[in-house]
Amino acid sequence: ARAVWWSPGETFGIRSGAEVQPEEARRAFAGHDPAGSGRALTQAQGRKDGSQRRAAFDLNMSLPKSVSV
C-alpha cells in the first residue's frame, strides 16, 4: 500500500508529501526513527491517566453519487 507523509515542514528527516515505505511508516507510528536506527522519537507510550498516544489519523472522504465532476 502507498503511504504519503504529511507534516508541517520536514519531520524526522522526511519531507512533507514524500512517499514512504510501509516499514518506515510502521516504525514512525510505533515511536521509533523511521530510518531504522532504533532511536525513540517519543517518551513512554502510556500516560499517567492510562490513555495512549494517537500516532496518526486515516481520513477517507468521498462525494455522494449525485455529485458529478
Side-chain angles (χ1 to χ4, degrees):
R2 182 172 178 252
V4 178
W5 188 267
W6 293 105
S7 66
E10 187 172 306
T11 310
F12 311 127
I14 303 172
R15 147 184 83 72
S16 184
E19 188 168 337
V20 294
Q21 298 301 316
E23 189 55 37
E24 292 174 307
R26 279 195 269 300
R27 283 194 289 266
F29 294 151
H32 300 285
D33 178 18
S37 72
R39 179 175 58 100
L41 301 177
T42 62
Q43 296 176 354
Q45 293 296 325
R47 296 180 181 177
K48 290 181 182 178
D49 64 1
S51 64
Q52 296 293 315
R53 295 179 185 267
R54 190 171 319 270
F57 293 97
D58 184 11
L59 302 174
N60 183 3
M61 298 178 199
S62 60
L63 296 172
K65 290 182 180 184
S66 61
V67 176
S68 63
V69 195

